[in-house]
Amino acid sequence: MNALGRHLLVELHDCERGALNDLDLIREATIKAAIDCGAVVLGESFHRFSPQGVSGVVVIAESHISIHTWPEFGYAAVDVFTCGTTVNPEIAARVLIERLGAKNHSLTEIPRGVLVTV
Amino acid sequence: MNALGRHLLVELHDCERGALNDLDLIREATIKAAIDCGAVVLGESFHRFSPQGVSGVVVIAESHISIHTWPEFGYAAVDVFTCGTTVNPEIAARVLIERLGAKNHSLTEIPRGVLVTV
C-alpha cells in the first residue's frame, strides 16, 4: 500500500505503576525511543498531572511519538507515527514497552496518507 | 465500551496547498482547534521542513492534537486524542478540516485504553 506514514497505536497494559507516574523516566524513555529507532528529535513537551499521570510528545523529523499514562490502571497509550524509510517505529514501541515494564501490550499499525495512484 | 480515551484519526485530502506549508496558520489553527473543543493547552511544538511541510503537536490536559502536512500531495494527517467528558474531539477535527480547506476527509475513531471490567 502506498502510504506516506506508518502509525503504530500501542496499548501498554499491566505496566509498573511507579514508572507511569515518573515524568523524568517517561521523558527520557520517549526520547530514547525516538533516537533508538533512528529518528531526529526536533522538540518535546511533557507534563505531569495531579494527582497522577503523565502526558508527553516528542516531535521528530519523521513525525511524532506521544505517550499518555494512567498509573491508576497500569495503562499507557503510546503512538509512534513515522514517515520515510530511515526509521523503524517498532523499535521505538519496543523501548517504551520495556522501560514501562508492560506485561501485556497490543500494537496496531495504521497506514496514514494512502494516496490513490491508479 | 469502557475506554479511557477517544482517538480520532483524521485524513485530510485535497487541502489548500499554501495553507499546508504555512507554519503560523497551522499553529494557530491547531491551538484554536484545542480551545474550541474545550481543551486546556499545556504545551506545543511546531516545525517547518525544507523544502516543504509542517509538523506540530499541542499537548492538552486531555491528551494531544497532532498534525503533519505534505503540501506536495495536498494531504495532512491529524490526530485528536482526548480523554474525559469535557471535550468534544470532533469539534477540533472540524476546525482543522475547515482551516486547511480540505475538500475530502475521513475520520476514524479508535477507543484507547479499553479496560476489561467484566
Side-chain angles (χ1 to χ4, degrees):
Chain A
M1 190 177 291
N2 182 23
L4 295 172
R6 301 180 63 188
H7 188 172
L8 304 189
L9 308 182
V10 195
E11 301 282 281
L12 277 63
H13 290 282
D14 303 318
C15 299
E16 294 173 14
R17 297 193 177 202
L20 293 181
N21 215 23
D22 186 331
L23 175 64
D24 291 338
L25 183 155
I26 289 173
R27 177 180 171 275
E28 289 167 14
T30 309
I31 292 172
K32 176 177 167 51
I35 293 169
D36 283 7
C37 80
V40 176
V41 174
L42 297 179
E44 56 166 290
S45 183
F46 283 83
H47 302 271
R48 188 178 183 285
F49 298 100
S50 179
Q52 59 193 350
V54 172
S55 277
V57 178
V58 174
V59 178
I60 55 180
E62 300 81 6
S63 294
H64 76 266
I65 302 175
S66 67
I67 182 165
H68 305 288
T69 76
W70 280 261
E72 66 272 37
F73 297 117
Y75 166 77
V78 166
D79 287 76
V80 185
F81 188 146
T82 66
C83 59
T85 57
T86 62
V87 290
N88 183 342
E90 292 173 48
I91 293 174
R94 173 60 56 194
V95 169
L96 287 163
I97 290 165
E98 290 179 354
R99 290 293 289 270
L100 297 178
K103 293 188 182 64
N104 291 293
H105 72 269
S106 68
L107 193 155
T108 304
E109 179 166 345
I110 310 282
R112 301 295 297 268
V114 177
L115 304 177
V116 178
T117 55
V118 177
Chain B
M1 189 178 291
N2 183 23
L4 295 172
R6 300 179 64 187
H7 188 171
L8 304 190
L9 308 181
V10 194
E11 301 282 280
L12 277 63
H13 291 283
D14 303 317
C15 299
E16 294 173 14
R17 297 193 177 202
L20 293 181
N21 215 23
D22 186 332
L23 175 64
D24 291 338
L25 183 154
I26 289 173
R27 178 179 171 276
E28 289 167 14
T30 309
I31 293 172
K32 175 177 167 52
I35 293 169
D36 283 7
C37 81
V40 176
V41 174
L42 297 178
E44 57 167 289
S45 184
F46 283 83
H47 303 271
R48 187 178 184 283
F49 299 100
S50 178
Q52 57 193 352
V54 172
S55 276
V57 178
V58 174
V59 179
I60 55 179
E62 300 80 6
S63 294
H64 75 266
I65 302 175
S66 68
I67 181 165
H68 305 288
T69 77
W70 280 260
E72 66 272 37
F73 298 116
Y75 167 76
V78 166
D79 287 75
V80 185
F81 188 146
T82 66
C83 60
T85 57
T86 61
V87 289
N88 183 345
E90 293 174 48
I91 293 174
R94 172 59 55 192
V95 169
L96 287 163
I97 291 165
E98 291 179 353
R99 290 294 288 269
L100 297 179
K103 293 187 180 64
N104 291 293
H105 72 270
S106 68
L107 194 156
T108 305
E109 179 167 344
I110 310 281
R112 300 295 298 267
V114 177
L115 304 177
V116 178
T117 55
V118 177

